[in-house]
Amino acid sequence: TEFEKVGIFGNARTVSVFVYHSAFRKLWNPEEKKVYKPILKVEGVKEPDHNTSRTIRYWLYAPGEGAKYWDKFYDEGIIGIGPNEIGNLNRFNNQDEIGFKLSQLWGEGKHSNDSLALWEFCRVMKPGDIIIAKKGTRSYIGYGIVLTDYLYDYDRNDYHHFRKVSWKSKGE
């Protein structure tokens, strides 16, 4: 189809789902029935070859509430997602298993947005995808290219779940 689902996440508690319309290079939020600005044209990233199965995905990313981790993540060349207490995401076979574990940690509930964010961060996002960092709902503060698959490091002080990113632009 012309539409590709793109997970939008900041941390495991702030998730929105948008779709990417490849013909127009715009983000569309079906709940708001609103089209957002055209996606950034990123130097050094080729247009997707629609004859192959691999399409570059664009991800909006909030580096913590109010972008409080933006400088740290930019300097480290990473993006991270919580919660740490769930452990290595590679051990889960599907989103439902993540949701079940979140229910054990946080109490009953589906936790579907949180489990989707974690699943997509671990299994759907790929090297070559574009990260658009945001602050709040209206400010874009930078963008970069995902360099690695999902990484887990229990010894990090925070954000044990992360990926390396080559940040190309920094604002605010």
Side-chain angles (χ1 to χ4, degrees), residues 63-82:
E65 188 175 336
K68 67 182 176 183
Y69 296 109
W70 173 235
D71 290 329
K72 175 182 173 68
F73 287 178
Y74 183 90
D75 291 344
E76 289 184 34
I78 65 165
I79 54 173
I81 192 169

Side-chain angles (χ1 to χ4, degrees), residues 1 16 18 25 30 43 54 64 71 76-77 79 82 85 95 111 121 124 135 143 145 154 161 165:
T1 97
S16 300
F18 286 63
R25 287 196 184 85
E43 284 185 39
R54 176 65 180 121
D71 290 329
E76 289 184 34
I79 54 173
E85 61 268 22
Q95 179 186 342
H111 305 291
F121 189 86
V124 178
K135 179 179 182 179
Y143 72 92
I145 301 169
Y154 179 81
H161 316 281
V165 173

Side-chain angles (χ1 to χ4, degrees), residues 4 8 14-15 19 27 30 44-45 50 68 72 76 91 94 102 107 111 117 158-159 171:
E4 176 183 344
I8 310 298
T14 58
V15 180
V19 291
L27 288 175
V45 176
H50 296 288
K68 67 182 176 183
K72 175 182 173 68
E76 289 184 34
R91 68 191 174 118
N94 55 52
L102 291 175
H111 305 291
D158 204 2
Y159 288 94

Side-chain angles (χ1 to χ4, degrees), residues 4-9 14-20 27-32 112-113 116-117 120:
E4 176 183 344
K5 185 175 78 168
V6 177
I8 310 298
F9 57 86
T14 58
V15 180
S16 300
V17 175
F18 286 63
V19 291
Y20 174 67
L27 288 175
W28 166 258
N29 183 330
E31 290 176 10
E32 295 178 21
S112 56
N113 286 345
L116 176 63
E120 289 188 339

